[in-house]
Amino acid sequence: MTTIAFVFPGQGSQYVGMGKDLYQQSVAAQQLFERADDILGFSLSKICFEGPEDALRQTRNTQPAIFLHSMVLANSLDTLKPDMVAGHSLGEYSALVVAGALSFEDGLKLVHLRGELMQRAGEANKGTMAAVVGLEPDTIEKVCTEASAAGVVQPANFNSPGQTVISGSIDGVRKAMELAKQHGAKLVKELVVSGAFHSPLMESAKEGLKEALERTDFRDARIPVYANVSAEPVTRAAEIRKLLHRQVTSPVRWEQSVKNMVSNGASVFYEVGPGKVLQGLIKRTESGVQLGGYDKYTDIELVVRQHA
């Protein structure tokens, strides 16, 4: 029996035109896009389909746009059921909806608020992020601890073996970049971002989200959801809520999540949403698994034919 995992992308995977073919080809997709526009009170679908890119790149729009695209695709894949799910950063909300822990409407509202709060936090506390390739996680931790004398800095994403993203204040991150090079990193590159995500500079967003998470109706998940904060499977509603709150300022433990999913039987991973970022990360983490992705209407058509 094949064990299937669905994984959902996070910020950075968006592109202008995302979901337009789904909207044009599927009545169900069209209805979900229109429902999202009604819930939010503005045309998110127009930003997805037409941009402009500057508008789509704004965190307050990017996060709900990627969530919506993933949800439209997941709904279209109703003949293909995952046994476990995970999502990278904001993608965790998509995973929770598919696992039955959260309704589509509540997920969309939370992701929109999260994007709004994170954008505001990024504007209020200027920070940056950098990719570091070729260092072990414990070396990255050591580098960040040493660099924190210059400013706030910590690991933000443990993405795949040897690929980490660090986040924090501009001085802290740049000092850590310098130290990473001294420790023999193959590549150190500052990223173009609107905030220091998954760092203490997002504390105001974390606190702003807390009340909304407490008000939201979470249910126990039907299938295991591998949480970013712990990399462990969770199903209990109370634990899910706590982990989502912590996730805003905690590192995303993606590499370990993938390893744990494979240890628990996952042999096929499908990325559901825009782009192929997670497929690349999984390939570098676990070479023996089958990978696929669903982004376009033609991808969905293929599944429908296979499972007809």
Side-chain angles (χ1 to χ4, degrees), residues 6-9 18-19 22 26 28-29 32-33 35-36 44 63-78 85-87 90-100 102-109 111 272-274 294-295 300:
F6 277 12
V7 292
F8 298 89
M18 57 193 272
L22 291 153
S26 159
L32 204 57
F33 273 110
R35 191 172 151 213
L44 180 62
Q63 294 198 16
I66 292 171
F67 170 84
L68 176 55
H69 189 198
S70 289
M71 288 298 91
V72 168
L73 289 159
N75 277 9
S76 307
L77 289 166
D78 57 357
V85 289
L90 96 93
E92 191 161 353
Y93 288 80
S94 310
L96 288 166
V97 174
V98 168
L102 193 57
S103 72
F104 167 75
E105 184 165 336
D106 284 340
L108 182 64
K109 285 177 181 172
V111 164
V272 183
Y294 298 100
D295 177 355
I300 299 295

Side-chain angles (χ1 to χ4, degrees), residues 14-25:
Q14 71 278 358
Y15 60 87
V16 173
M18 57 193 272
K20 193 173 183 180
D21 57 333
L22 291 153
Y23 182 91
Q24 289 169 337
Q25 302 284 343

Side-chain angles (χ1 to χ4, degrees), residues 214-227:
E214 282 168 0
R215 277 200 319 264
T216 302
D217 178 29
F218 285 90
R219 298 176 294 277
D220 289 351
R222 291 190 300 265
I223 54 174
V225 181
Y226 285 73

Side-chain angles (χ1 to χ4, degrees), residues 146-213:
E146 207 179 318
S148 60
V152 173
V153 61
Q154 73 173 35
N157 311 137
F158 293 103
N159 280 331
S160 63
Q163 193 203 321
T164 309
V165 174
I166 58 173
S167 180
S169 67
I170 292 164
D171 290 347
V173 169
R174 289 189 179 156
K175 181 64 181 173
M177 289 169 72
E178 203 181 291
L179 292 170
K181 285 172 195 165
Q182 288 171 20
H183 278 79
K186 290 179 195 164
L187 174 77
V188 180
K189 184 187 178 190
E190 193 166 344
L191 304 174
V192 181
V193 289
S194 57
F197 302 136
H198 298 285
S199 87
L201 297 190
M202 287 287 124
E203 192 60 43
S204 62
K206 181 184 179 183
E207 286 318 300
L209 194 60
K210 189 177 185 181
E211 195 189 325
L213 288 169

